[in-house]
Amino acid sequence: KFKVTLLEASPKLGGRAYSFLDKESNSVLDNGQHILMGCYDVTLDFLSLIDATKNFNFQKRLEVNFVKEGFKVLPLKSFSSIYPINLLIGLFRFRAISFSNRLSLLKVFFKLPFYNTNKFSETSIKDWLEKENQFKKVQDAFWRILAVGALNTSIEKASAKIFIEIIRQIFL
């Protein structure tokens, strides 16, 4: 027998994973993890255990389409060169943000291996990005989308420590 204390920061039970009724279709929709990445070892092991991996199409190379106003599609894709250089080239060619903002984005990626994530345990992703001079356009066009996809929460609420550890696994 175990004594359990449940701490819930969300106003709804379930936190970042929950269901809701879509009134227009009268369907119950699940909201949870938005993307599945190769770094999610435990999830992928579970999917293998229950023989569900056959239900997925796994990308051999990163290719994610970002959609801007007016439904303009801007792809972020890696190329067949050596990993992780292929990802850096993909980020460098990511047209959703200006050239100077792509350079500032790459600066953060070059610093990723050297962060002591324990220093960020009380820091939000937004505060960390602002300290790293990531302007609002970069936050909105890249970081916010990645954070919501990976953590299902906003950059204002999510932990920079956890996010840095995740993006290290994704990109390094």
Side-chain angles (χ1 to χ4, degrees):
K1 198 170 186 179
F2 297 94
K3 183 179 178 183
V4 175
T5 302
L6 175 64
L7 302 174
E8 183 63 70
S10 175
K12 60 195 162 312
L13 188 61
R16 295 181 185 146
Y18 58 92
S19 298
F20 64 94
L21 178 65
D22 177 52
K23 292 177 183 162
E24 192 172 308
S25 67
N26 201 31
S27 299
V28 176
L29 302 176
D30 290 328
N31 183 40
Q33 187 172 322
H34 289 64
I35 55 179
L36 178 63
M37 296 177 275
C39 63
Y40 293 172
D41 299 325
V42 175
T43 302
L44 292 169
D45 288 346
F46 175 71
L47 292 172
S48 290
L49 178 70
I50 64 170
D51 198 31
T53 55
K54 63 184 175 229
N55 299 320
F56 291 86
N57 293 321
F58 292 96
Q59 293 181 342
K60 297 199 185 320
R61 297 182 310 185
L62 173 72
E63 185 169 344
V64 179
N65 288 324
F66 288 72
V67 181
K68 289 187 78 166
E69 302 90 23
F71 298 100
K72 183 176 181 181
V73 176
L74 299 162
L76 170 62
K77 49 183 174 175
S78 66
F79 297 89
S80 58
S81 59
I82 300 167
Y83 175 84
I85 295 169
N86 59 341
L87 295 175
L88 294 174
I89 293 169
L91 287 170
F92 187 73
R93 298 181 72 183
F94 183 50
R95 304 262 184 240
I97 53 178
S98 69
F99 181 76
S100 62
N101 283 335
R102 279 182 261 160
L103 290 177
S104 76
L105 181 69
L106 286 171
K107 283 180 191 175
V108 172
F109 277 91
F110 285 120
K111 292 166 88 175
L112 272 180
F114 307 105
Y115 285 119
N116 174 359
T117 57
N118 292 326
K119 291 171 52 177
F120 299 103
S121 60
E122 300 295 320
T123 305
S124 72
I125 296 171
K126 183 162 183 58
D127 290 343
W128 168 64
L129 292 173
E130 287 176 358
K131 287 178 189 167
E132 290 296 336
N133 298 313
Q134 298 294 289
F135 297 117
K136 184 173 180 348
K137 285 188 178 190
V138 181
Q139 290 179 28
D140 291 345
F142 183 77
W143 294 114
R144 187 177 302 277
I145 295 165
L146 185 59
V148 169
L151 299 171
N152 199 21
T153 194
S154 69
I155 62 172
E156 291 81 10
K157 293 181 182 177
S159 162
K161 177 188 187 320
I162 294 169
F163 187 62
I164 293 167
E165 290 169 356
I166 288 172
I167 58 176
R168 274 184 182 159
Q169 287 182 317
I170 295 169
F171 293 100
L172 301 179

